[in-house]
Amino acid sequence: MTTDTAGTVHVEGHTAEPGRPGEPGEGLEAADILASARTLVDPELRRAIETLPGSLRRVALYHFGWEHADGTPAAGSAGKAIRPALVLTAARALGGDPAAAVRAAAAVELVHNFTLLHDDVMDRDTTRRHRPTAWTVFGDADAILTGDALQALAQRMLAEDPHPGAPAAAARLATCVMELCAGQHADCALERRGPDEVTLDECLATAEAKTGALLGCACALGAVYAGADLDEVDSLDGFGREAGLAFQLIDDVIGIWGDPRRTGKPAGADLAARKKSLPVVAALASGTPAAAELAELYDRPPTGTESAPERAEHAARAAGAVERAGGRDWAQVHAADRMSRAIGQLAGAVPDPEAAGGLLALAEFVTRRTY
């Protein structure tokens, strides 16, 4: 395994190259895996969500894109299904039956959407998956309570699953939820600090808890359902965590430079909100003149009364400063490094490249997204 100066990872015939938003590059294999996971998991998700009380069910169906706000059917997207795909693909890679792990995959997706509902409220994000966020339609309380219900539903799915791996999976998922909450708490605390008071190490640790933990848990649950031993389960968890950090790094890049027509989110929203994403913190730590410019921009808190052109101008100036300070390049190179570490973890549990192929394809996908 080698990493070249452009940040591209080469390993046993596989290449993981972090692409810039807007470039093509997702492999067809990953697209097929994700589509298959969506096909297998969506019916299980729908069955579970239909058991929610009516008021919560309505919000959940809207959030997943299956209904409009008035309750009429919709053909929206329920997301990319990366986490359930990791559960099913990890089970297959370790010789298990993916069909036996569908409930676990659905439970992971429910937990993921619990975090999205809550994060949108806390971050005051107004758009997700090309439509208004649930809290903007139904109010804060309904969105928060629906997220709580999705988390409880995930635990019930595992509690009722007769598979012998279900109890261990439930325990891992519950531990993961606590880590997710701790990560979100740390993230909120970082946002209250000044731009010169936040370190890259803190931001990376927060990203691992907020993003890496659930991707690692997804891989671990697949291994548990395949009957793997603890070392293999832990290696798959490590693989998912490292891939999750790569995912977050590229997601932060997309959050600044992504095309809103692809992302479904307003351009520059993170910058307008002075969010301390990883490229921003890397830029602030660079000691360059652009870093000083960025710090000055971030020292001016939003008043909430800025016009749309004023917000756009601030975001454009901040994005330029981040790029000139090296934040974009740092994020892409660091994503490749995390991919390299992820592949090393995977090799510890699945040394056969052919068996690991599906997980490698998904790991590459998270740093090649053009959404």
Side-chain angles (χ1 to χ4, degrees), residues 242-264:
E242 297 292 356
L245 274 171
F247 179 103
Q248 187 60 57
L249 284 154
I250 297 304
D251 199 61
D252 284 352
V253 170
I254 291 172
I256 298 173
W257 293 283
D259 183 345
R261 292 170 298 180
R262 291 179 176 270
T263 65

Side-chain angles (χ1 to χ4, degrees), residues 39-62:
T39 299
L40 285 170
V41 172
D42 274 3
E44 195 71 36
L45 282 173
R46 283 178 175 267
R47 279 193 292 271
I49 289 170
E50 286 296 333
T51 68
L52 291 174
S55 57
L56 300 177
R57 181 171 66 246
R58 179 185 175 193
V59 180
L61 289 171
Y62 171 84

Side-chain angles (χ1 to χ4, degrees), residues 82-84 86-88 90 108 176 213-223 237:
I82 290 171
R83 292 155 190 83
L86 286 170
V87 176
L88 302 178
V108 168
C176 177
L214 189 55
L215 269 73
C217 183
C219 295
L221 262 58
D237 185 279

Side-chain angles (χ1 to χ4, degrees), residues 328-347:
R328 182 173 183 162
D329 288 340
W330 176 88
Q332 291 181 286
V333 170
H334 203 74
D337 176 62
R338 291 295 176 168
M339 275 286 293
S340 176
R341 298 186 195 189
I343 291 166
Q345 291 278 1
L346 179 60

Side-chain angles (χ1 to χ4, degrees), residues 108-283:
V108 168
E109 187 71 344
L110 287 170
V111 165
H112 174 52
N113 282 276
F114 139 69
T115 68
L116 297 182
L117 282 161
H118 282 204
D119 285 359
D120 285 343
V121 173
M122 286 183 276
D123 296 341
R124 309 316 283 173
D125 286 337
T126 58
T127 307
R128 180 173 294 282
R129 298 168 184 162
H130 305 277
R131 67 199 317 222
T133 46
W135 72 267
T136 67
V137 176
F138 301 99
D140 289 0
D142 282 8
I144 292 168
L145 292 169
T146 301
D148 294 341
L150 293 185
Q151 186 200 156
L153 193 55
Q155 288 294 336
R156 191 180 77 183
M157 289 185 75
L158 292 177
E160 294 176 349
D161 190 349
H163 191 282
R172 274 193 175 262
L173 189 60
T175 300
C176 177
V177 167
M178 288 186 280
E179 186 174 358
L180 292 171
C181 292
Q184 179 64 13
H185 184 270
D187 189 47
C188 292
L190 290 176
E191 292 306 315
R192 292 192 294 269
R193 288 156 58 182
D196 59 343
E197 300 173 340
V198 177
T199 69
L200 266 176
D201 285 344
E202 288 177 305
C203 289
L204 286 166
T206 299
E208 179 177 351
K210 283 192 61 178
T211 304
L214 189 55
L215 269 73
C217 183
C219 295
L221 262 58
V224 167
Y225 270 67
D229 63 37
L230 184 58
D231 286 344
E232 292 171 325
V233 173
D234 287 344
S235 290
L236 263 292
D237 185 279
F239 162 75
R241 283 175 179 271
E242 297 292 356
L245 274 171
F247 179 103
Q248 187 60 57
L249 284 154
I250 297 304
D251 199 61
D252 284 352
V253 170
I254 291 172
I256 298 173
W257 293 283
D259 183 345
R261 292 170 298 180
R262 291 179 176 270
T263 65
K265 295 183 179 182
D270 287 352
L271 295 173
R274 296 3 177 224
K275 186 172 179 61
K276 298 179 186 73
S277 62
L278 287 162
V280 166
V281 176

Side-chain angles (χ1 to χ4, degrees), residues 267-323:
D270 287 352
L271 295 173
R274 296 3 177 224
K275 186 172 179 61
K276 298 179 186 73
S277 62
L278 287 162
V280 166
V281 176
L284 288 168
S286 67
T288 62
E293 178 188 349
L294 182 63
E296 182 182 352
L297 289 167
Y298 261 59
D299 270 334
R300 303 175 196 165
T303 64
T305 61
E306 302 96 337
S307 65
E310 287 172 334
R311 289 194 298 272
E313 181 186 0
H314 177 277
R317 289 184 60 194
V322 173
E323 185 145 23

